[in-house]
Amino acid sequence: MTSKIAISNQKGGVGKTTVAINVAGALANRGHEVLLADLDPQGHATEGVGLADTYDSAKPHFGSVLETIDENRTVAEIVYSHEAFDVIPSNVDMFTLETDLTGAMRSRERLELLFDNLDHDYDFIIVDCPPSLGHLTDNALLACQNVLIPALAEGTSIRALEILYDQIESIERGYDVQITQLGLVANRVEHDGEAKEMMEWFEDTFEGQLPVWEVRKRVALKRAWNNGVSIFEHEEESDMESVFTAVATHLEGTV
Ligand SMILES: Nc1ncnc2c1ncn2[C@@H]1O[C@H](COP(=O)(O)OP(=O)(O)OP(=O)(O)O)[C@@H](O)[C@H]1O
Ligand SMILES: [Mg+2]
């Protein structure tokens, strides 16, 4: 059984891609076979794992496979290997997917169909979502049915979470599925007054229901990204490895 996890929050710049790359790295570091799928047309995860060259590649690519329905095709051609895990890179053509899928047949089931056709048995598939609610994010929620939510430790996160929950509920109702929330990763936390207040709010709100992890603001995370790897493959030691390992360990036990 493959555990599939969407890393989602429609709010921009909260750390989805950072969390996706480093959770993938943590799981791989613990011996799992992992696939990271970059569903964001911006291609940040693709760049962050050193595959920027693939972003302009010709078809077939992630976007061209999602654009069509072919239940028997092989998707091996769009999977690349990275140092520690496999990657389905994003492609510049994916910017038009959101409009192309509008009104198309089974427009929210494309990613699920693609995952059904993978040749390799992965232990985990991690999907980095775009900063928007639309067909792409709906595809990720429906294909994974598990969501891990990164959020900044600031007041704006409250509304962002409410909006995301509404979307999750509407997919659950529309498709008669249950989407499991795996936890909240408070990201880029600096120990100032607002962050402290928000960490308390997260903990009070989710106590007993959802784990809340705290990823601090660390330049090591940026340096690993600039080197095309997660902090687990990067030569530099980082105190955030233990946080991402804790997330990975939790995922092993719950999905
Ligand atoms: N814990 C952290 N410490 C330092 N820098 C961070 C941290 N988390 C994220 N960043 C930086 O903040 C920026 C935004 O992070 P990231 O790209 O992961 O967010 P995102 O939610 O994926 O953004 P988008 O909504 O554009 O997809 C990036 O430049 C990233 O390197
Ligand atoms: Mg991103």
Side-chain angles (χ1 to χ4, degrees):
M1 268 295 279
T2 306
S3 305
K4 306 180 194 102
I5 300 157
I7 313 292
S8 189
N9 186 335
Q10 73 288 347
K11 189 168 155 56
V14 300
K16 293 176 286 297
T17 303
T18 302
V19 168
I21 293 173
N22 289 292
V23 167
L27 288 164
N29 187 51
R30 291 180 57 77
H32 297 291
E33 296 273 317
V34 181
L35 173 69
L36 172 66
D38 184 1
L39 194 61
D40 183 358
Q42 298 178 105
H44 287 149
T46 300
E47 199 181 332
V49 296
L51 290 172
D53 288 353
T54 65
Y55 183 62
D56 302 308
S57 69
K59 294 177 182 178
H61 52 65
F62 200 3
S64 69
V65 174
L66 292 173
E67 214 171 29
T68 51
I69 298 177
D70 176 359
E71 291 186 17
N72 301 312
R73 78 182 142 217
T74 160
V75 291
E77 283 167 279
I78 66 164
V79 180
Y80 290 70
S81 45
H82 171 262
E83 238 166 275
F85 43 82
D86 283 353
V87 181
I88 301 182
S90 175
N91 189 279
V92 62
D93 286 353
M94 287 168 69
F95 279 112
T96 57
L97 257 186
E98 204 57 72
T99 35
D100 292 346
L101 287 176
T102 306
M105 252 177 35
R106 306 181 76 181
S107 59
R108 290 179 174 80
E109 294 159 63
R110 305 295 177 95
L111 189 60
E112 193 176 8
L113 292 170
L114 189 160
F115 286 161
D116 287 345
N117 287 316
L118 286 170
D119 304 332
H120 193 84
D121 286 330
Y122 293 100
D123 300 317
F124 288 92
I125 298 179
I126 306 293
V127 181
D128 185 21
C129 290
S132 56
L133 294 176
H135 283 91
L136 291 175
T137 295
D138 288 352
N139 265 276
L141 294 172
L142 194 58
C144 298
Q145 295 183 22
N146 289 297
V147 61
L148 180 66
I149 305 169
L152 299 179
E154 58 175 52
T156 57
S157 291
I158 298 176
R159 231 168 91 80
L161 290 176
E162 284 167 1
I163 293 168
L164 180 59
Y165 291 159
D166 284 348
Q167 187 69 9
I168 290 172
E169 273 175 30
S170 96
I171 296 282
E172 287 183 326
R173 274 197 309 272
Y175 287 86
D176 196 19
V177 292
Q178 179 113 45
I179 297 171
T180 306
Q181 290 180 47
L182 299 170
L184 186 117
V185 183
N187 182 40
R188 243 195 290 151
V189 178
E190 290 181 281
H191 280 179
D192 57 16
E194 189 183 19
K196 272 211 182 104
E197 249 175 57
M198 268 313 285
M199 288 309 300
E200 277 165 26
W201 186 87
F202 286 144
E203 266 141 38
D204 292 347
T205 308
F206 298 117
E207 199 181 1
Q209 299 169 51
L210 274 190
V212 177
W213 295 280
E214 182 178 314
V215 173
R216 303 286 299 275
K217 184 173 183 179
R218 289 288 183 268
V219 71
L221 285 160
K222 270 201 170 268
R223 281 198 290 256
W225 171 312
N226 292 337
N227 280 283
V229 290
S230 81
I231 50 173
F232 293 89
E233 297 94 58
H234 201 225
E235 67 223 5
E236 182 180 2
E237 286 283 306
S238 165
D239 60 345
M240 289 302 106
E241 281 178 34
S242 61
V243 179
F244 285 105
T245 298
V247 177
T249 313
H250 178 78
L251 298 179
E252 285 166 353
T254 42
V255 284

